Each structure stands twice: as structure tokens, then as C-alpha cells.
Amino acid sequence: MKDYFSIGKIVASHGLTGEVVLEHALGKKTDLKGLQTIFIEERKDSFLPYFVESTTAKNQEEVYVKLEGFNTKESARRLNQKEVWLLKSDFDKYAAKSSPISLLGYMMINAKEEIGEIVEVIEQPMQVLCKIIYQGNEALIPIHEESLEKIDKKSKRVYVSLPDGLLDIYASNP
């Protein structure tokens, strides 16, 4: 899981030749030119590679992707709603440095204590939720102007000031 980053999901098939529409959270309009492989999680923690034949930017958050072996609208339809992952090297190449998704892999720090690595970023209208693993449990930590202290891109750390009791909800029971 550490080497893969979720960037979005396939939301539709497009045209008659097996293209799909990839809705991404990379933070910028991109055509993903040069991308050779995407990964789809078929089963929990089991990623299958799919080889990219061509890509075309649709808008700020969507890209048309033609995958090898998918030549009809019907064959491409089976990929609908599947989550798409990139290898870390590809993710670093295509994600906007200022986008919330670029925080994946950063260590979250609260009150000078490392509380967990950011494993998923969920964008919402008024805030961003970062999923971390805290004491063996998934925890959703809100990032907004009141909780975010600073982001240190050099050391890949996000400093937050969380409300009292928030982490207690996610703490492992003794």
C-alpha cells in the first residue's frame, strides 16, 4: 500500500472504442501524457496493472483514458466505479504540489507528537479530511484554517492543532 496512491476513480465509459473517464483529485488539469500504467484494486490490497494506450484531458478533474485490452464500450463498463491508483513515482510527477492530495505520505503532527501517516485525502466543500492510522485504527482528521498550523514540504510533515478529545475517539481500547 505504501507504494500506491489513490488518485480517483473511473466514473464512466466513453465512446465506442473502450475509453473510460477517470475522475481524479490531482489538483490540476492534466492529460497524464507519458503515463504507462494505472492500478486498480480488484480485491483489498491487491492491485492489478492496466496499461495505458492514450489519454486526453476532458476538464479540470477528468481525463479520457484508453486502456489496453478494452476495445468496446461494454468491456470498459466493467471498470466503472473502480478506484484508480498510481505508483509513488507517477503520483509525484502528476499531482499538483499545492493540491490537498499531495499530502499523501506526509506524517501528521499534533502537539509535537507524531499521530500517523496520511494514507488518504478526502476533499469536502469546507474542509479536507485526512485519513491516518492512529493506534491501529483508521482516523479521519479534519484539516481547515482552525486546525492547520503549517505544512513542511521538505520534511513531509503536517502540523495540526486538534480539538481536545478528537483523538480519544479513535484510540485503541486497553
Side-chain angles (χ1 to χ4, degrees):
M1 285 293 289
K2 246 184 166 14
D3 298 333
Y4 298 93
F5 290 96
S6 172
I7 61 161
K9 67 181 174 181
I10 293 172
V11 294
S13 54
H14 171 74
L16 302 174
T17 61
E19 276 188 314
V20 294
V21 178
L22 167 60
E23 186 179 80
H24 64 80
L26 294 171
K28 62 182 179 181
K29 185 172 183 174
T30 179
D31 59 8
L32 298 174
K33 279 283 182 265
L35 182 65
Q36 295 180 339
T37 311
I38 63 171
F39 294 84
I40 294 179
E41 190 175 22
E42 294 288 331
R43 286 187 309 278
K44 184 97 172 107
D45 297 335
S46 174
F47 298 94
L48 288 180
Y50 287 82
F51 299 102
V52 177
E53 287 184 0
S54 65
T55 59
T56 310
K58 178 181 178 192
N59 58 39
Q60 194 71 19
E61 291 145 5
E62 294 178 321
V63 179
Y64 296 120
V65 180
K66 174 73 173 86
L67 298 172
E68 192 176 284
F70 293 87
N71 299 314
T72 65
K73 186 174 189 158
E74 292 73 28
S75 65
R77 200 174 284 145
R78 79 173 189 82
L79 296 175
N80 282 355
Q81 302 308 307
K82 297 270 190 195
E83 204 160 332
V84 174
W85 301 69
L86 294 182
L87 287 172
K88 182 181 181 346
S89 57
D90 287 331
F91 175 81
D92 290 343
K93 189 167 149 186
Y94 295 107
K97 302 296 177 236
S98 61
S99 70
I101 199 171
S102 69
L103 298 176
L104 284 171
Y106 279 45
M107 179 58 68
M108 189 171 284
I109 313 291
N110 179 53
K112 298 184 179 149
E113 177 191 348
E114 289 187 353
I115 58 171
E117 181 182 330
I118 299 172
V119 295
E120 185 178 348
V121 176
I122 303 161
E123 292 184 64
Q124 296 187 321
M126 300 305 282
Q127 68 185 0
V128 171
L129 290 174
C130 293
K131 184 194 289 182
I132 64 170
I133 305 300
Y134 179 72
Q135 295 183 2
N137 298 314
E138 287 185 356
L140 293 175
I141 307 299
I143 302 290
H144 46 76
E145 57 189 40
E146 286 94 43
S147 66
L148 181 63
E149 289 181 353
K150 76 174 188 174
I151 297 172
D152 182 346
K153 291 183 187 248
K154 225 175 222 139
S155 64
K156 293 194 164 228
R157 292 168 137 16
V158 175
Y159 294 88
V160 294
S161 176
L162 300 179
D164 290 341
L166 178 65
L167 289 174
D168 297 341
I169 298 168
Y170 300 110
S172 296
N173 293 331

